[in-house]
Amino acid sequence: MKEKVIVLVRATPEKSRKHGFTCCVAGINEEGEFRRLYPFKFSEIKFRKKQWIEAEIEANSKDKRKESAKVIRHTTCAPSCRLLCKNPVITGLGL
């Protein structure tokens, strides 16, 4: 499933045997729900805080937290495709 998320924070990278240096990213989706997205290869991160990304995600059977999702692939949204979100949670953050 695809989801658009505004990035709030990126964790410190950690070394993984399977993926190299990775980190997780926390943000809020269009519906105002908190998301924890992982793994992101640290060398491939080209986005910043307060920037929208579109990620293809799936639930991970190893992580039971409802806000956590495994990232299959992602793209950074250009400024022209920023979402005009009417969600009071997101607009209240000034993002």
Side-chain angles (χ1 to χ4, degrees):
M1 133 171 121
K2 281 191 177 182
E3 209 170 68
K4 290 184 182 175
V5 175
I6 190 162
V7 177
L8 299 178
V9 67
R10 180 179 69 201
T12 303
E14 293 185 9
K15 188 159 184 164
S16 157
R17 284 185 236 167
K18 187 175 180 181
H19 302 288
F21 281 95
T22 62
C23 64
C24 72
V25 170
I28 299 174
N29 68 10
E30 294 172 288
E31 288 77 37
E33 300 168 329
F34 180 72
R35 284 288 176 258
R36 177 185 174 273
L37 305 174
Y38 67 95
F40 282 95
K41 290 185 180 178
F42 187 70
S43 61
E44 295 177 3
I45 293 178
K46 306 293 183 215
F47 52 83
R48 301 172 189 237
K49 286 194 261 181
K50 298 184 181 179
Q51 189 168 11
W52 287 97
I53 62 171
E54 185 173 44
E56 187 175 331
I57 60 173
E58 67 182 17
N60 188 342
S61 59
K62 296 178 184 176
D63 190 343
K64 300 297 181 193
R65 293 175 282 193
K66 82 173 198 176
E67 70 273 6
S68 290
K70 183 177 179 181
V71 176
I72 308 304
R73 64 185 137 267
H74 75 280
T75 57
T76 303
C77 291
S80 61
C81 78
R82 280 190 142 169
L83 301 173
L84 297 174
C85 192
K86 294 179 181 161
N87 187 301
V89 173
I90 295 174
T91 53
L93 294 171
L95 304 173

